[in-house]
Amino acid sequence: MAKDINASGSKFGLVLSGGGARAAYQAGVLKAVAELLPPETSDPFPIICGTSAGAINALAIAGCHGSENQRTFQSRIKKIESIWCGLEANNIYRSDLLGVLKNTLMIFFSIFNKNYTQKKPKALLDNTPLRRLLNELIDFEAINESINNKRITAVSITAVSYSDGKSVTFYDGEATLQPWVRSRRIGIRSKLTIDHIMASTAIPVMFPTTRIMGSYFGDGAIQQLKPISPALHLGANKIFIIGVNDNSSSEPPSLSDATNLHIHSPPSSAKIIGHILNSAFVDAIDSDLETLRNINRLAEILPAETREAKGISDLRPIKFLAISPSKSIGTLARNYFKELPLSMRFFLKIMGLTTRSEGIEIASYVMFSKGFCSKLVELGYQDGLAKQQAITEFLKE
């Protein structure tokens, strides 16, 4: 199947959205996909686009350190799965209580004194361990080799520029791919590095921003209004999307759902921040999918001749398959709250979060722990198996 996929007229794009620790779910879905492909399959998705924690998975798929066996898709997914299932918070950020308190005070003082922000980016957590982990996981030379050998068409990472608020997609790929400029979003050809991943995964306030090309960049999910668009700009005409939103649905909400808004008490800071993170990480992908469905309906109605005559020949149906969690990730997070480092539990409780509070979603973004991430991998795997027929059909020409 690998030969058919890469040699066919279809260009399969893989879109991996952001969501901190929730991205472990993507590893589970990809594990199911890998098992549906022949063992020798190398690169079933020649176009790979990642945002935030999804960027880590994206580049690990494109190329990870290892022996020659790591060149198969199945072996790379196994490596990614092992990383997620063995993860601890100290692999991602320094979690000592003293350090977190110190950083909290520095953030507070930086609000009133700009000199604090001029020395180095401020954040609650020091994510230096993540940089070390990425250096051990991702082989950029292998990615370049795959691009030069035309096994991969393009790889991209999206981050937000704090200079102008634009969503910037850094991509590398075939020489024919052109940069793009759209409203509030641009695509720039660039040799991808660890810095690009660190920038894309820099959750606001939690992790420090990263400097690239003289500007500071943060989590790519912020301001990414069209998370599917990079794959389209890079030439994909069939898109496989793995989200981390456990509230997505193919059915539009009813009026009764929209008007059933009973609020019994003021929301805690944790609940407010949880909603902000949800809107950044998961809501955009649902909105973009709705837009894509509408475009497909319009393109199917209008004959090719009409589209050509109206100057909208680029309006074409895009086949896609989207998979997202079948269970509430927030509910799962409740069961693993004690796996968070003491410093994080202390900080979240100050904001009003408890295992019984509705703001538990915020914990799921920073809950890098063996138990929670392994559970998400298993959930993704089961969801992938449940969509076995749909996935098999989708990967066929």
Side-chain angles (χ1 to χ4, degrees):
M1 182 177 290
K3 182 178 179 180
D4 292 338
I5 289 175
N6 291 299
S8 69
S10 296
K11 282 195 174 182
F12 290 89
L14 177 64
V15 174
L16 302 173
S17 63
R22 290 181 175 218
Y25 173 84
Q26 297 168 348
V29 175
L30 291 168
K31 177 183 177 181
V33 172
E35 291 184 0
L36 298 176
L37 297 169
E40 68 275 12
T41 301
S42 176
D43 299 287
F45 302 103
I47 298 171
I48 308 172
C49 304
T51 300
S52 191
I56 298 175
N57 289 334
L59 263 68
I61 293 169
C64 64
H65 282 293
S67 64
E68 185 69 22
N69 291 332
Q70 295 290 354
R71 295 189 182 276
T72 68
F73 182 70
Q74 192 172 94
S75 62
R76 275 174 278 161
I77 298 304
K78 285 183 179 178
K79 177 73 176 290
I80 296 170
E81 178 193 5
S82 67
I83 292 293
W84 279 109
C85 291
L87 210 57
E88 297 284 4
N90 57 17
N91 298 133
I92 306 298
Y93 54 82
R94 292 183 57 184
S95 57
D96 56 291
L97 183 58
L98 182 60
V100 172
L101 289 175
K102 178 182 177 182
N103 290 339
T104 302
L105 289 174
M106 292 179 71
I107 293 173
F108 176 78
F109 287 127
S110 69
I111 297 174
F112 305 99
N113 188 341
K114 67 178 183 179
N115 291 329
Y116 274 87
T117 59
Q118 290 178 345
K119 296 177 182 178
K120 65 177 295 188
K122 299 298 180 294
L124 178 67
L125 302 171
D126 177 359
N127 60 349
T128 302
L130 173 60
R131 183 179 288 271
R132 291 196 293 266
L133 177 65
L134 293 175
N135 276 314
E136 296 173 1
L137 174 63
I138 298 172
D139 185 351
F140 288 93
E141 287 303 317
I143 296 174
N144 294 333
E145 180 183 341
S146 293
I147 293 173
N148 293 334
N149 294 335
K150 299 187 182 302
R151 292 196 302 268
I152 291 180
T153 302
V155 183
S156 76
I157 294 176
T158 298
V160 64
S161 169
Y162 283 111
S163 297
D164 55 17
K166 289 183 179 178
S167 177
V168 181
T169 297
F170 299 97
Y171 71 90
D172 196 6
E174 294 182 349
T176 56
L177 297 173
Q178 297 298 314
W180 63 88
V181 178
R182 296 293 186 271
S183 176
R184 309 297 297 172
R185 49 193 171 91
I186 62 176
I188 300 176
R189 179 180 290 275
S190 179
K191 283 296 180 184
L192 301 178
T193 66
I194 293 293
D195 284 341
H196 291 95
I197 309 179
M198 296 298 291
S200 185
T201 58
I203 300 175
V205 181
M206 293 291 184
F207 298 141
T209 58
T210 300
R211 191 171 184 175
I212 301 174
M213 302 186 307
S215 297
Y216 284 96
F217 289 82
D219 199 292
I222 309 299
Q223 293 287 355
Q224 191 181 30
L225 303 178
K226 300 292 181 182
I228 300 174
S229 67
L232 299 177
H233 284 292
L234 295 173
N237 52 27
K238 296 185 74 173
I239 304 177
F240 188 70
I241 305 153
I242 308 178
V244 296
N245 183 6
D246 51 21
N247 297 315
S248 61
S249 173
S250 58
E251 297 296 327
S254 65
L255 182 60
S256 60
D257 292 334
T259 56
N260 186 23
L261 303 175
H262 299 294
I263 302 177
H264 301 288
S265 60
S268 65
S269 299
K271 183 173 179 61
I272 293 172
I273 295 175
H275 275 295
I276 293 173
L277 291 177
N278 281 338
S279 65
F281 289 117
V282 300
D283 291 346
I285 197 81
D286 290 340
S287 176
D288 211 14
L289 283 173
E290 184 177 6
T291 301
L292 186 56
R293 292 187 185 98
N294 291 333
I295 291 176
N296 283 347
R297 292 190 189 102
L298 180 61
E300 289 168 358
I301 293 173
L302 295 176
E305 297 80 7
T306 302
R307 281 181 266 146
E308 184 73 28
K310 296 294 184 181
I312 52 173
S313 56
D314 57 341
L315 182 69
R316 66 190 190 281
I318 301 294
K319 294 183 179 180
F320 69 92
L321 177 61
I323 296 181
S324 57
S326 59
K327 296 181 180 179
S328 169
I329 292 182
T331 299
L332 293 177
R334 296 177 194 275
N335 300 327
Y336 296 93
F337 186 74
K338 291 184 177 180
E339 289 191 355
L340 279 170
L342 176 62
S343 57
M344 285 305 301
R345 279 181 280 155
F346 175 76
F347 179 76
L348 292 174
K349 286 181 178 179
I350 288 177
M351 293 194 300
L353 187 146
T354 66
T355 54
R356 295 183 179 182
S357 69
E358 294 180 355
I360 191 67
E361 286 82 4
I362 187 177
S364 68
Y365 293 103
V366 293
M367 198 173 286
F368 298 97
S369 64
K370 290 182 180 179
F372 181 63
C373 290
S374 296
K375 189 67 177 180
L376 289 185
V377 170
E378 178 61 25
L379 176 61
Y381 179 64
Q382 295 301 326
D383 286 351
L385 293 181
K387 294 286 185 70
Q388 177 176 344
Q389 183 175 352
I391 293 172
T392 302
E393 290 296 323
F394 182 78
L395 294 178
K396 288 181 181 179
E397 177 61 15

